[in-house]
Amino acid sequence: MDKLVSDLRPLDILAEAVPPDGSARGISVTRVQGALGLQLSAAAPHAISFPASRIFVRCDLFPEEFSIVVTLKPPSLPPKKNEYLFSVVAEGPDALLLGLRYSPSRLHFLFLREDAAGAWQTRVSFRSPALMDSQWHTLVLAVSEDSFSLTMDCGVPVDITADVPFPATLSMQGARFFIGSRRRTKGLFTGLVRQLVLLPGSDATAQLCPCRNADIVLSIPPVLQGLTGRPADNEVLKYPYETNMKVTLGSQPPCTKVEDAQFWFDAGQKGLYLCVGSEWVSVLAAKEKLDYVEEYQSLHTNSETLGLEVFIIPETGLFMATANRKTTSAIYKWVDGKFVAYQDIPTQQAQSWRHFTIGRKVFLAVANFDPNEKGQEFSVIYKWSQRKRRFTPYQRVPTHSARDWEAFEVAGEHFLAVANHREGDNHNINSVIYKWNPTTRLFEPNQTIATCGAYDWEFFTVGPYSFLVVANAFNGTSTKVQSHLYVWLLGSFQLFQSFLTCGAADWEVFRIGDRVFLAVANSHSYDVEMQVQNDSYVINSVIYELNVSAQMFVKFQEITTCSALDWEFFSVGEDYFLVVANSFDGNTFLVNSIIYRWQGYEGFVAVHSLPTFGCRDWEAFRTAAGSYLVYSSAKEPLSRVLRLRTG
């Protein structure tokens, strides 16, 4: 029931009662000892209130287990005087349902208890002599049935077991929250309050501590965020201000101009973040663990999508290019946590995109598979125009049913390698490596390499050596062909090692510690002399590991896949993962793609099975809000963004 009441989120009671700009009758914002607080006016004791229905939307029962977090600077009170920090009052009979008040020596938690004999008010009292020292203090009151615990400034908690437990069914229907009062002038809070938060279902102490007094923050209203200012002259020695650095604790706060250059510490995940622009940037990475994967966004595309490329343009944002089967591909921009359409680009059955930079220039190359309406066959390199904020055509490159581009740099020079798949019916053709000419500012042919139905290039380095591996898929009669690894020697790529592959569609290189791996996605076992069988799509893809002593890659692990077309390596915290794009099992395109987790001696072990339809490509990316996977479908105009939920 508690989850229905609140979804277990911190409920900022103060923020509900106070407008974001603080423009409410009966309050003023005051800074004391370097912290901002709200001062209530005795002239308007009823002003700071709101109906309980505003936060109890799905269910009108107050949670049975909860914490109340309050940061306050109480005034000195004469003996026997009480002031209310907050109260919940029934509208009709003016009955106090819930309240928190304090006196010079005690803090009192009050609640209404009902049973067959009637209703009566119960009070649980804690001794609190330290509240009257004119300092900021943060109190955490945790309630669970008959257990009541009070922690002040992350100190030693005071526990009380009461004879009367907190009610399991305290109705908030028709009730109203009052801040700093009990809807009367008598008992009005005359100090400063900075934080008043209800956290259902949890003891908030673990989320807030260790920390100190006014800095213990679970949630504070916008009007009290920022505006750090300078202390009065008589406070300088007591509260030094070498910097205006502020660290916020608790759930993720907003990151706006007000919070710019401020820190947020995620106590639950033990991560430190810095507000830069409008995003929280990780400074001290939290040790995340992948719990599960959930669908986050369904992205309707111009047509079926054969390839994805996620990239960042500095000072502009995160983008994704989709290679679409029909004559228009698209670029999407990440806006407010979603991909939105940004630019359409004409293409000819585009297979893939490749983003790269040369100096400050940003490029995007598309691999076109079909000729245009004039029968001309070429792929196109686009350049980002900072003035137009769009990609504009930069260079046409002759290609033959291009499947992939790979951009890389060797010895300070920039290269592009295209995977030419076939010319007419001939799959045994040359793929080309182009080199950037800084004088003409164009890519020019530099080296040709014989390939067989080339599908993918992958570049990587090991120490001082540069490597380029090609996925050869078909030689005209069989998919069982050699895919080749080349090493850069004396100004060109030379054969280093060959691998027997079956319709190789993708290579993925990755590192775990100082170990280097190569994974190949095998898509189909076929030979013209062999009768086609449905199980020829369910074959092993292979992971190879570099054996430095032998100076070659050796087989490390075989994984059964269903016409695998892509591998994507990613990490979450200290864990490493591979996700495979399974596209077809011989009977249906509706097959599960699998996430495998690295488990050391065991290799990669399946941990998550993801329903996909004609899955073609995976991309992993991260924003300040979390980690994501996105996959494209070659069988429907729909790509899906999945969120990696971590704990």
Side-chain angles (χ1 to χ4, degrees):
M1 181 63 74
D2 290 352
K3 180 171 175 57
L4 292 175
V5 172
S6 62
D7 287 338
L8 303 183
R9 302 187 313 272
L11 303 176
D12 193 332
I13 298 174
L14 213 54
E16 290 290 340
V18 180
D21 60 357
S23 58
R25 186 172 64 92
I27 64 167
S28 59
V29 178
T30 304
R31 179 181 51 78
V32 176
Q33 300 170 358
L36 295 172
L38 294 178
Q39 177 81 58
L40 308 183
S41 170
H46 315 283
I48 315 304
S49 68
F50 63 94
S53 59
R54 189 182 298 175
I55 59 176
F56 294 90
V57 178
R58 301 183 186 179
C59 173
D60 60 10
L61 297 182
F62 200 92
E64 186 179 359
E65 297 183 353
F66 59 93
S67 290
I68 296 173
V69 181
V70 56
T71 299
L72 74 163
K73 183 182 177 297
S76 296
L77 295 180
K80 298 184 179 181
K81 184 174 182 180
N82 286 265
E83 292 187 351
Y84 278 88
L85 299 175
F86 85 100
S87 64
V88 183
V89 180
E91 292 280 26
D94 193 25
L96 180 68
L97 302 179
L98 193 76
L100 193 63
R101 76 179 190 215
Y102 78 100
S103 67
S105 60
R106 295 183 184 275
L107 182 81
H108 307 285
F109 176 60
L110 306 101
F111 57 90
L112 189 69
R113 179 77 188 186
E114 295 182 77
D115 61 15
W120 68 93
Q121 195 174 95
T122 301
R123 182 177 68 189
V124 178
S125 299
F126 298 85
R127 292 182 58 84
S128 54
L131 279 177
M132 300 295 109
D133 59 359
S134 299
Q135 303 296 316
W136 284 103
H137 295 285
T138 295
L139 309 176
V140 179
L141 174 65
V143 177
S144 177
E145 297 182 348
D146 61 348
S147 175
F148 301 79
S149 177
L150 178 68
T151 303
M152 186 169 76
D153 299 335
C154 289
V156 178
V158 178
D159 299 319
I160 294 178
T161 300
D163 295 331
V164 179
F166 188 83
T169 56
L170 181 60
S171 175
M172 296 288 103
Q173 189 171 6
R176 194 171 186 88
F177 278 77
F178 288 85
I179 312 302
S181 76
R182 192 197 157 174
R183 201 165 68 175
R184 304 170 183 169
T185 304
K186 183 180 179 181
L188 179 71
F189 180 63
T190 56
L192 296 176
V193 60
R194 174 171 170 79
Q195 176 177 215
L196 183 56
V197 176
L198 169 65
L199 181 64
S202 176
D203 185 348
T205 308
Q207 298 188 31
L208 297 173
C209 299
C211 200
R212 57 184 182 84
N213 42 55
D215 292 332
I216 305 174
V217 175
L218 189 62
S219 178
I220 59 174
V223 70
L224 300 182
Q225 298 176 11
L227 301 173
T228 52
R230 290 278 173 176
D233 290 343
N234 62 351
E235 295 178 347
V236 172
L237 293 178
K238 191 171 183 180
Y239 301 95
Y241 276 70
E242 287 82 4
T243 69
N244 278 329
M245 186 182 77
K246 174 184 174 183
V247 179
T248 300
L249 277 80
S251 58
Q252 181 173 327
C255 177
T256 65
K257 290 182 178 179
V258 175
E259 292 83 20
D260 192 42
Q262 295 181 4
F263 288 91
W264 161 52
F265 182 70
D266 187 346
Q269 298 295 324
K270 296 181 175 61
L272 182 65
Y273 301 86
L274 176 67
C275 179
V276 179
S278 60
E279 290 193 349
W280 290 104
V281 178
S282 176
V283 177
L284 180 63
K287 292 184 178 180
E288 299 175 297
K289 291 282 187 181
L290 177 59
D291 283 344
Y292 59 93
V293 181
E294 65 179 2
E295 185 168 344
Y296 182 78
Q297 181 184 6
S298 294
L299 186 66
H300 294 273
T301 52
N302 295 328
S303 58
E304 301 93 329
T305 303
L306 301 174
L308 300 168
E309 180 81 342
V310 177
F311 57 95
I312 293 175
I313 299 178
E315 301 178 2
T316 305
L318 175 75
F319 294 84
M320 180 174 69
T322 61
N324 296 114
R325 186 182 298 278
K326 294 184 179 179
T327 56
T328 301
S329 292
I331 297 174
Y332 299 84
K333 185 178 181 182
W334 187 261
V335 178
D336 296 329
K338 301 281 185 178
F339 280 116
V340 297
Y342 187 82
Q343 180 182 357
D344 284 340
I345 295 180
T347 54
Q348 305 297 324
Q349 197 176 149
Q351 301 292 299
S352 64
W353 288 96
R354 183 67 65 216
H355 161 264
F356 62 96
T357 59
I358 299 177
R360 299 181 64 181
K361 301 180 183 68
V362 179
F363 295 94
L364 200 57
V366 64
N368 283 325
F369 194 77
D370 284 350
N372 64 9
E373 63 280 358
K374 297 179 181 179
Q376 299 168 321
E377 196 172 0
F378 56 83
S379 294
V380 183
I381 302 170
Y382 294 85
K383 180 176 177 289
W384 174 256
S385 170
Q386 193 63 32
R387 180 178 63 85
K388 296 180 180 179
R389 297 276 171 169
R390 290 291 187 273
F391 282 98
T392 58
Y394 185 80
Q395 181 181 354
R396 288 185 176 185
V397 181
T399 55
H400 301 290
S401 297
R403 289 283 193 182
D404 179 59
W405 283 106
E406 180 72 338
F408 54 92
E409 183 179 346
V410 178
E413 296 184 303
H414 296 273
F415 297 86
L416 268 179
V418 64
N420 286 325
H421 187 68
R422 60 178 169 83
E423 187 174 0
D425 292 330
N426 183 17
H427 291 80
N428 301 300
I429 60 174
N430 287 334
S431 291
V432 185
I433 299 172
Y434 295 86
K435 180 179 176 181
W436 173 258
N437 186 328
T439 302
T440 62
R441 297 183 180 179
L442 294 172
F443 282 97
E444 300 172 351
N446 182 74
Q447 182 181 357
T448 59
I449 295 179
T451 53
C452 306
Y455 230 97
D456 178 60
W457 284 108
E458 182 84 353
F459 174 83
F460 62 97
T461 60
V462 178
Y465 298 100
S466 297
F467 294 90
L468 191 62
V469 61
V470 65
N472 285 324
F474 185 58
N475 64 7
T477 60
S478 177
T479 61
K480 296 180 180 180
V481 296
Q482 297 287 333
S483 291
H484 302 296
L485 174 64
Y486 301 88
V487 62
W488 179 267
L489 291 174
L490 303 174
S492 66
F493 283 100
Q494 300 181 29
L495 183 63
F496 179 80
Q497 185 178 352
S498 298
F499 307 87
L500 181 62
T501 54
C502 294
D506 177 66
W507 284 103
E508 179 82 351
V509 64
F510 56 93
R511 291 170 170 81
I512 298 177
D514 57 359
R515 302 170 69 175
V516 181
F517 296 89
L518 263 178
V520 64
N522 287 323
S523 66
H524 187 199
S525 178
Y526 168 77
D527 193 293
V528 292
E529 298 178 356
M530 177 186 71
Q531 186 177 356
V532 177
Q533 298 175 351
N534 287 345
D535 61 1
S536 62
Y537 296 94
V538 181
I539 56 177
N540 286 339
S541 292
V542 184
I543 301 172
Y544 299 88
E545 182 180 5
L546 178 62
N547 185 317
V548 177
S549 300
Q551 296 188 12
M552 63 183 298
F553 281 89
V554 297
K555 188 179 294 184
F556 173 77
Q557 183 178 358
E558 292 185 326
I559 295 177
T560 301
T561 53
C562 301
S563 191
L565 296 178
D566 181 57
W567 284 108
E568 180 77 1
F569 177 77
F570 64 97
S571 62
V572 176
E574 297 180 348
D575 293 328
Y576 302 99
F577 299 89
L578 273 175
V579 59
V580 65
N582 284 327
S583 65
F584 184 61
D585 65 2
N587 296 300
T588 178
F589 294 102
L590 189 62
V591 294
N592 289 339
S593 293
I594 310 296
I595 295 179
Y596 300 88
R597 183 176 61 208
W598 171 254
Q599 294 190 182
Y601 182 75
E602 298 176 76
F604 285 92
V605 177
V607 289
H608 296 284
S609 184
L610 310 176
T612 53
F613 182 63
C615 187
R616 179 63 182 84
D617 193 20
W618 283 100
E619 284 280 287
F621 66 97
R622 172 183 285 271
T623 72
S627 298
Y628 303 85
L629 288 172
V630 56
Y631 86 85
S632 67
S633 170
K635 293 300 174 182
E636 63 177 346
L638 184 68
S639 294
R640 298 183 188 274
V641 181
L642 309 178
R643 184 166 185 171
L644 305 180
R645 283 295 185 181
T646 59

